[in-house]
Amino acid sequence: MIKYCWSVFTTVFFAALSFGQVEDSLQRQQEIIEGEQFIATVNASLQEFYKEWANSENYDSIVASLGYVEGQVPEFDDSVYCQRLDDMNEMSPFHYACNPTVLSTLKYFTKNRRRFTSITLGRSKLYFDMYEEKLDKHNMPIELKYLSVIESGLRPQVKSRVGATGLWQFMYRTGKKYGLDQNSFIDERMDPEKATEAACLYLKRLYNAYDDWNMALAAYNAGPGNVNKAIRRSGGKTTYWEIRPYLPRETQAYVPNFIAMSYMMTYHVEHNIIPAEAKVYDFELDTVCLSQGVHMNIIDSLMDWSMEDIQFVNPIYKTSYIPKTTPQQCINIPVTKVNEWIAMEDSIYALDSAIYNLPIEEELAKLKSSTEDYHKVRSGENLWIIARNNGTTVARLKKLNPGINHDRLRIGQRIRIR
């Protein structure tokens, strides 16, 4: 009887204890959920504020006040262009010349580069704040941000026919010289922040050499060697417009293009050009650092964050694999997905390891198994012969291969048999 009573007591006691532990656990989980909900609410409010601030210009009302209709391409007198360039000169160390070459380039841009201007204005929402921060750090003209528009159209993964790569179009050797590493998986010329830092250092060096920003731009495009040759051929002239006839043809157009693009980005509304919708704003991104290498498709499968979007905000990676490095690789991630990443990180690594780190024997067995599930149709075969030779039935084959035509099998056609 005593033994029975003690058994009942211990059962009730531990049940009560377990219930209390469960209750405490549930309470802690509820506190975590409430904390995450609070953080999510704060983040959402901040995102909304930043987005409203980034889009504070009411383009519709501005365009309406100018009396434009949709698709209208405004035209102005040369004196208007020159006055606007003069106004830009007042606020810039660049010399925005108003001469026949610049006017011709401007008019081409206002008619033929309208869509390009709209698209790059949208892309600028991801990069221009960072550009301005870097340029300010180096005490350099803010207008240099427009140089990247001319170089790459603000596409970090673009590569020219001669191999120049990234937002600032660094050649391989120049990139290495300014600290941009490259290997089979990573090309830091495509890293927006690192490439911008390198561009600032290179442009500053060129400006110190020529003491003129237009000459520095020419040297950035053609290389200092070609600029120095042009100086000698011009009889020792030291300004861009004086040496321009002696520069390579591409560089003769380079500074006028920069002036025209600077003008377009400044006066786009006056030309009835509205920025395209930004795919991503810089304030919508945070960073997380990886303790292991991982394939982007694994992240995609577990987080509903597409490979395309992962690559868009992480253009530094040449393939869909993010390697393990020291120091750790830190990737850009939407602020809204940071909590999900924290919750799923261990599962992401585990699944990646399970899929991509199989012993070679298992990989071969997996490959063999997948090939044994299918039969390649040979000459003279029909479904009955294929079914007989593979230990199955015609009905089963038809079920595994919906829409298959019994009478019209093609030689080489793959038939699923299991």
Side-chain angles (χ1 to χ4, degrees):
M1 181 69 179
I2 293 173
K3 185 176 181 181
Y4 172 77
C5 290
W6 175 251
S7 176
V8 171
F9 170 77
T10 53
T11 302
V12 171
F13 174 79
F14 283 111
L17 180 61
S18 299
F19 178 78
Q21 289 174 334
V22 170
E23 191 173 35
D24 288 345
S25 177
L26 289 173
Q27 184 176 350
R28 285 195 297 272
Q29 289 179 16
Q30 183 63 31
E31 289 172 354
I32 292 170
I33 292 170
E34 288 175 355
E36 289 179 349
Q37 288 174 342
F38 174 74
I39 293 170
T41 301
V42 171
N43 279 336
S45 298
L46 286 172
Q47 296 303 304
E48 194 61 32
F49 166 77
Y50 285 132
K51 189 164 287 189
E52 287 178 5
W53 171 75
N55 294 312
S56 57
E57 289 185 272
N58 188 338
Y59 291 110
D60 290 338
S61 63
I62 297 173
V63 169
S65 70
L66 294 171
Y68 296 147
V69 297
E70 186 177 352
Q72 182 178 347
V73 180
E75 295 184 8
F76 300 96
D77 189 78
D78 288 355
S79 62
V80 175
Y81 292 123
C82 289
Q83 181 59 58
R84 290 173 178 170
L85 290 170
D86 282 344
D87 292 342
M88 291 170 63
N89 279 324
E90 290 295 322
M91 303 300 294
S92 173
F94 283 94
H95 177 54
Y96 294 116
C98 188
N99 57 37
T101 299
V102 169
L103 285 170
S104 175
T105 307
L106 265 180
K107 291 173 183 177
Y108 175 81
F109 271 55
T110 59
K111 291 181 180 179
N112 300 97
R113 304 305 298 273
R114 297 174 61 80
R115 176 169 168 76
F116 175 79
T117 302
S118 174
I119 290 171
T120 51
L121 282 164
R123 291 174 182 160
S124 73
K125 304 296 185 184
L126 182 55
Y127 301 116
F128 272 13
D129 283 349
M130 181 267 289
Y131 284 2
E132 291 175 6
E133 194 174 312
K134 294 280 189 186
L135 292 165
D136 178 68
K137 168 189 163 185
H138 289 281
N139 195 28
M140 297 169 72
I142 295 299
E143 294 81 3
L144 283 168
K145 64 187 177 183
Y146 302 133
L147 184 63
S148 178
V149 181
I150 291 295
E151 286 287 346
S152 64
L154 300 182
R155 294 172 296 162
Q157 291 178 314
V158 70
K159 193 168 188 173
S160 77
R161 56 183 174 77
V162 296
T165 300
L167 289 167
W168 297 93
Q169 289 291 279
F170 275 101
M171 295 295 289
Y172 180 85
R173 290 185 180 181
T174 309
K176 294 287 283 186
K177 183 176 182 180
Y178 285 90
L180 301 177
D181 292 332
Q182 296 144 62
N183 57 47
S184 296
F185 294 114
I186 294 171
D187 188 340
E188 290 186 343
R189 292 177 297 172
M190 298 189 294
D191 183 304
E193 290 219 24
K194 290 182 179 179
T196 302
E197 179 70 19
C200 287
L201 295 174
Y202 187 32
L203 285 162
K204 183 185 286 188
R205 175 172 173 263
L206 294 173
Y207 175 74
N208 290 337
Y210 296 104
D211 196 31
D212 181 286
W213 279 113
N214 284 345
M215 292 285 279
L217 295 183
Y220 190 87
N221 178 250
N226 282 323
V227 171
N228 294 340
K229 287 178 189 176
I231 291 172
R232 288 194 293 270
R233 290 170 181 165
S234 70
K237 305 297 183 182
T238 56
T239 68
Y240 172 78
W241 294 105
E242 288 176 317
I243 72 164
R244 181 172 176 269
Y246 306 97
L247 288 167
R249 182 172 296 181
E250 179 186 334
T251 312
Q252 290 182 31
Y254 192 72
V255 171
N257 283 345
F258 172 77
I259 294 173
M261 199 69 248
S262 300
Y263 171 90
M264 293 296 288
M265 301 294 274
T266 304
Y267 290 103
H268 59 92
V269 179
E270 285 79 357
H271 285 272
N272 198 21
I273 298 173
I274 306 303
E277 179 65 31
K279 183 172 182 177
V280 180
Y281 291 82
D282 63 336
F283 55 79
E284 293 180 312
L285 297 176
D286 202 342
T287 57
V288 294
C289 295
L290 280 58
S291 60
Q292 298 183 30
V294 67
H295 294 78
M296 294 179 188
N297 63 307
I298 301 298
I299 302 173
D300 182 347
S301 65
L302 291 182
M303 285 186 59
D304 191 28
W305 181 24
S306 73
M307 280 183 56
E308 180 184 355
D309 289 341
I310 297 170
Q311 290 175 319
F312 181 80
V313 296
N314 294 283
I316 184 175
Y317 302 108
K318 296 164 75 172
T319 72
S320 61
Y321 179 63
I322 304 170
K324 179 181 179 180
T325 59
T326 303
Q328 294 176 338
Q329 288 295 308
C330 297
I331 62 171
N332 292 315
I333 184 172
V335 172
T336 55
K337 290 190 174 291
V338 171
N339 285 344
E340 186 180 359
W341 171 269
I342 293 170
M344 298 296 298
E345 185 174 12
D346 290 343
S347 299
I348 289 169
Y349 296 145
L351 180 58
D352 193 277
S353 180
I355 292 177
Y356 288 100
N357 294 330
L358 290 172
I360 188 64
E361 294 81 3
E362 290 185 42
E363 290 188 13
L364 290 173
K366 190 176 178 183
L367 179 63
K368 185 172 182 290
S369 175
S370 66
T371 56
E372 287 177 348
D373 287 344
Y374 289 86
H375 173 83
K376 186 182 287 187
V377 177
R378 293 186 288 269
S379 177
E381 288 187 325
N382 57 32
L383 285 185
W384 185 84
I385 294 173
I386 294 171
R388 181 196 62 188
N389 292 342
N390 289 280
T392 186
T393 66
V394 171
R396 176 67 176 162
L397 291 180
K398 287 184 176 181
K399 186 175 181 180
L400 291 172
N401 299 272
I404 195 169
N405 191 319
H406 179 79
D407 299 320
R408 295 186 182 178
L409 295 182
R410 301 186 311 276
I411 295 174
Q413 183 177 354
R414 280 166 56 83
I415 303 295
R416 186 174 179 183
I417 57 176
R418 290 184 182 85

